[in-house]
């Protein structure tokens, strides 16, 4: 779905919840633009009322998809350094500037991850990817654009089948692709040279929350001694896990898995759409701040979200 920066905040939240807008990076950029739009549209001089509108907008957006910390970090980034604003106009311009900075840096981060990650690939490699991650595909497309001869195995990624988006995107870029069902991951892994996936949330202990099935792909890669790389922008690192918070794993409607009318009465269906991959199954995290071990997640969180971090109003 094309991102429309002038969509009303409630529409953006509904589109994120329905997954018309999906992908942890895109939902973050869309949320930042929704906060920007809300700030631009506010009428009147009552700054307390304006702050209330922004707070309600934040709550609506953050509730739309609870697992991806990118959404929370994006909304927080639009509000950073606004607590001392003395007028509606000052608060408006701060939110707009913060949102613009976040969107620009987020898009640039995906490009940088592509450049860094492409250096981990060689001619003739077979690479697997799971789901549909712009950050992971940036690596694969950059390597191909640099003249590297690689082939990509994309998993179907049930139940939403985001793998079909991946093979469409990569084929359009001229990257040779093979689609496999999720159950064929371990069968295919013996022929793989590397795995690149995206992330929704990276925890302070280096664990990675990503599309359901990622942890099985990581275990199969570990078992076959295939390097497993996670491609993620620094705004996907979770400061909330640093203070002990657990990441909520979103469970979606059963009808996304199977037509309930096909099941005997009383049969339950559970549809968790993310899982957690422990750091010991991850070779490296490819971020715009560099290629790092998963155990360096703590340092990234402290630097990115602590005092003087990139979100603290520094200029580009
Ligand atoms: P980018 C997606 O979640 C997938 O889990 C993907 O790996 C992750 O977000 C990151 O995607 P969903 O929106 O930000 O398909 O790299 O549920 O595009």
């Amino acid at each position: 779905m094309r991102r429309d920066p002038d969509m009303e905040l409630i529409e953006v939240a509904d589109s994120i919840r329905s997954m018309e807008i999906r992908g942890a990076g895109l939902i973050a950029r869309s949320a930042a633009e929704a906060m920007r739009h809300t700030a631009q549209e506010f009428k009147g001089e009552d700054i307390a009322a304006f702050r209330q509108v922004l707070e309600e907008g934040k709550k609506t957006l953050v509730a739309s998809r609870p697992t991806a910390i990118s959404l929370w970090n994006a909304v927080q980034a639009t509000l950073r350094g606004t607590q001392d604003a003395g007028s509606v106009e000052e608060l408006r311009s701060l939110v707009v500037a913060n949102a613009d900075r976040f969107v620009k840096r987020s898009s640039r981060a995906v490009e940088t991850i592509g450049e860094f990650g492409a250096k981990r690939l060689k001619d003739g490699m077979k690479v697997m990817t799971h789901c549909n991650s712009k950050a992971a595909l940036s690596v694969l497309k950059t390597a191909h654009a640099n003249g590297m001869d690689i082939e990509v195995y994309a998993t179907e990624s049930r139940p939403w089948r985001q793998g079909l988006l991946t093979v469409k995107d990569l084929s359009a870029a001229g990257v040779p692709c093979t689609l496999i069902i999720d159950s064929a991951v371990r069968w295919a892994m013996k022929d793989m040279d590397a795995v690149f996936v995206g992330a929704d949330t990276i925890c302070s202990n280096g664990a990675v929350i990503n599309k359901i099935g990622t942890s099985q792909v990581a275990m199969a890669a570990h078992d076959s001694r295939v390097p497993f790389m996670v491609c993620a922008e620094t705004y996907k690192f979770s400061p909330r896990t640093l203070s002990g918070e657990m990441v909520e794993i979103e469970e979606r409607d059963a009808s996304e898995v199977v037509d309930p009318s096909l099941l005997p009465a009383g049969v339950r269906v559970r549809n968790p759409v993310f899982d957690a991959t422990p750091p010991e199954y991850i070779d490296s995290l490819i971020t715009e701040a560099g290629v790092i071990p998963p155990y360096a997640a703590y340092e990234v969180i402290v630097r990115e979200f602590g005092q003087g971090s990139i979100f603290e109003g520094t200029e580009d």
Side-chain angles (χ1 to χ4, degrees):
M1 174 179 186
R2 196 182 66 78
R3 212 171 68 234
D4 175 357
D6 293 325
M7 264 173 83
E8 294 301 322
L9 187 142
I10 195 70
E11 269 185 276
V12 173
D14 288 345
S15 299
I16 291 172
R17 185 175 297 106
S18 67
M19 290 180 65
E20 275 179 82
I21 296 177
R22 53 149 300 277
L26 181 60
I27 67 175
R29 288 186 286 276
S30 303
E33 282 175 344
M35 291 294 284
R36 180 188 195 284
H37 179 72
T38 301
Q40 281 180 318
E41 291 299 296
F42 181 79
K43 303 282 186 289
E45 298 308 318
D46 182 345
I47 192 169
F50 189 11
R51 288 191 189 281
Q52 184 62 25
V53 163
L54 292 170
E55 190 57 29
E56 280 157 19
K58 168 183 166 181
K59 287 190 180 117
T60 301
L61 286 165
V62 167
S64 60
R65 289 204 78 191
T67 304
I69 195 68
S70 58
L71 181 51
W72 191 81
N73 282 338
V75 174
Q76 290 292 90
T78 65
L79 298 173
R80 281 182 196 277
T82 61
Q83 62 279 10
D84 299 330
S87 69
V88 163
E89 281 319 310
E90 186 185 355
L91 179 52
R92 190 193 326 272
S93 57
L94 281 170
V95 172
V96 168
N98 283 343
D100 288 344
R101 179 185 303 116
F102 179 86
V103 170
K104 190 163 78 172
R105 286 186 173 202
S106 163
S107 302
R108 200 186 311 152
V110 173
E111 290 167 18
T112 305
I113 287 168
E115 290 156 21
F116 288 174
K119 295 174 187 169
R120 310 297 291 245
L121 289 165
K122 294 191 188 74
D123 261 347
M125 273 189 163
K126 286 189 172 67
V127 181
M128 184 180 292
T129 192
H130 184 59
C131 197
N132 177 247
S133 156
K134 284 179 178 51
L137 266 60
S138 178
V139 170
L140 305 175
K141 290 194 278 188
T142 302
H144 176 78
N146 293 346
M148 215 159 290
D149 165 28
I150 61 170
E151 181 185 356
V152 177
Y153 275 58
T155 63
E156 179 188 17
S157 307
R158 289 250 318 134
W160 270 74
R161 310 181 80 194
Q162 288 95 329
L164 299 181
L165 297 173
T166 292
V167 296
K168 280 185 195 136
D169 192 347
L170 291 175
S171 300
V175 182
C177 295
T178 299
L179 182 72
I180 57 171
I181 62 171
D182 301 322
S183 314
V185 160
R186 192 157 184 271
W187 167 84
M189 195 60 76
K190 62 188 181 300
D191 298 324
M192 295 298 115
D193 300 296
V195 179
F196 288 85
V197 298
D200 291 85
T201 293
I202 296 184
C203 306
S204 58
N205 68 343
V208 167
I209 311 295
N210 195 53
K211 186 51 53 197
I212 191 78
T214 300
S215 61
Q216 288 168 203
V217 175
M219 286 172 66
H222 190 73
D223 185 42
S224 301
R225 305 292 183 271
V226 172
F228 183 86
M229 266 77 72
V230 176
C231 309
E233 306 89 308
T234 52
Y235 60 85
K236 289 173 181 173
F237 285 63
S238 170
R240 296 167 65 173
T241 58
L242 196 56
S243 51
E245 273 195 42
M246 299 293 283
V247 178
E248 179 183 342
I249 299 292
E250 179 187 1
E251 290 202 39
R252 294 179 67 91
D253 194 82
S255 60
E256 294 181 357
V257 175
V258 64
D259 174 353
S261 66
L262 301 177
L263 298 174
V267 172
R268 283 185 66 201
V269 175
R270 292 190 68 177
N271 178 21
V273 290
F274 297 107
D275 66 14
T277 300
E280 52 266 33
Y281 290 129
I282 299 166
D283 289 80
S284 50
L285 304 178
I286 302 177
T287 79
E288 75 278 21
V291 179
I292 61 174
Y295 297 104
Y298 168 80
E299 302 299 333
V300 170
I301 292 170
V302 168
R303 195 195 76 179
E304 296 296 324
F305 301 100
Q307 288 309 317
S309 73
I310 61 164
F311 289 101
E312 290 305 310
T314 48
E315 290 313 306
D316 282 329

